[in-house]
């Protein structure tokens, strides 16, 4: 069930049972089939009540962030490498204006080399500077620090021309909840300066921290749109744990995840069945969860759903992205 603020809950499979068996023998032809998969995810979520998560601290943080952006020389936007489009704030570019931006795709260890190359080529063609990072292990953080300083070299050139003393470059770290902003900063600083945990909503206030003599970093709370109009993106946020768990019902989200995974050659239905030692001929996520629940959890579909979501987040099906670049 998907929870609606102040409303009711609705199980999507009560409105529409979806059988994807027609796709069993179809091959997956990269871009075209990724587009078809995106279209199917949109179709599966069509009968869902909207997934919305907008805690009170986000509204306050958004207002403060817009003010702090005026002080930034460089903006570092952090996205989840598994879902770069779904973790892109629709208003971010309008807030930034002409400020220089670095895009960080965090959790690069959770996607395949093919996924990484596809996104690297996509953003390169757009002229966007992108850094692939792993905030937990520190991969990509030093490159990020050097790039931020490089992009802002003109700041102190202009100050010297005016007879002013140089100052540290100011870089703001922005992005959706739980994409790893605080972890990146802590790795850059090599010490825990910003609270970080693997759940959305841990950072609740803006905080400037100094990195050496040349760089200041602003850690900010995750910023979401007040209304998420793209519900296919909202489901992906739920799958990747980038949105509060109170905003969705695990069985609904896990059922859609199962249907997505059965379509991806890197996983497929056989991999799911072998992992959980169950038989399932069709690709209906609801039926798969019901069988898994009977096999392992005494019929408790909610526990089965939590297991599937947890296994995906831990890479038990392999490290794969849920999105590929649009054409």
């Amino acid at each position: 069930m998907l929870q609606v603020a102040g409303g009711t809950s609705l199980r999507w499979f009560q409105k529409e049972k979806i059988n994807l068996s027609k796709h069993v023998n179809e091959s997956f032809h990269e871009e075209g089939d990724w587009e078809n998969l995106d279209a199917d995810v949109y179709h599966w979520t069509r009968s869902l009540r909207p997934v919305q998560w907008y805690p009170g601290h986000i509204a306050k943080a958004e207002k403060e962030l817009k003010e702090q952006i005026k002080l930034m020389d460089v903006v570092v936007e952090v996205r989840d490498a598994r879902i770069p489009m779904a973790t892109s704030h629709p208003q971010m570019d309008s807030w930034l204006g002409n400020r220089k931006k670095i895009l960080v795709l965090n959790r690069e260890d959770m996607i395949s080399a093919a996924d990484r190359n596809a996104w690297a080529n996509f953003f390169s063609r757009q002229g966007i500077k992108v850094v692939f990072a792993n905030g937990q292990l520190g991969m990509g953080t030093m490159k990020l620090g050097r790039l931020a300083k490089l992009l802002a070299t003109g700041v102190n050139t202009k100050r010297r021309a005016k007879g002013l003393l140089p100052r540290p470059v100011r870089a703001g770290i922005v992005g959706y909840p739980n994409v790893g902003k605080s972890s990146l900063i802590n790795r850059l600083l090599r010490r825990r300066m910003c609270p970080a945990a693997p759940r959305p909503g841990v950072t609740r206030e803006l905080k400037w921290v100094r990195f050496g003599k040349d760089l200041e970093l602003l850690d900010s709370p995750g910023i979401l749109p007040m209304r998420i109009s793209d519900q296919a993106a909202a489901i992906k946020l739920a799958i990747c744990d980038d949105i509060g768990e109170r905003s969705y019902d695990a069985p609904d989200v896990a059922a859609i995840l199962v249907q997505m995974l059965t379509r991806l050659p890197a996983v497929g239905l056989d991999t799911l069945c072998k992992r959980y030692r169950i038989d399932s001929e069709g690709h209906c996520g609801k039926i798969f969860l019901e069988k898994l629940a009977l096999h392992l959890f005494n019929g408790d579909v909610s526990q089965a759903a939590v297991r599937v979501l947890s296994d995906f987040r831990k890479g038990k099906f392999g490290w794969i992205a849920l999105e590929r670049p649009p054409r």
Side-chain angles (χ1 to χ4, degrees), residues 179-234:
V179 293
K181 300 182 296 297
S182 298
S183 295
L184 279 172
I185 291 178
N186 289 336
R187 279 293 177 177
L188 270 169
L189 300 176
R190 297 183 181 177
R191 61 187 185 277
R192 187 180 177 87
M193 291 292 292
C194 302
R199 65 180 185 276
V202 173
T203 303
R204 290 178 173 264
E205 59 183 18
L206 282 75
K207 180 180 181 180
W208 284 100
V209 292
R210 178 70 68 91
F211 176 51
K213 297 180 180 180
D214 304 323
L215 184 62
E216 289 181 348
L217 302 168
L218 175 68
D219 187 24
S220 64
I223 304 294
L224 284 167
M226 183 176 293
R227 292 288 175 187
I228 304 176
S229 57
D230 185 348
Q231 286 300 295

Side-chain angles (χ1 to χ4, degrees), residues 37 62 69 77 146 160 177 225 247 254 258 297 313 316:
L37 178 58
E62 181 179 311
I69 284 177
E77 183 187 3
R146 290 194 300 268
R160 290 189 187 95
S247 67
V258 168
F297 302 104
R313 294 163 183 169
K316 301 298 184 181

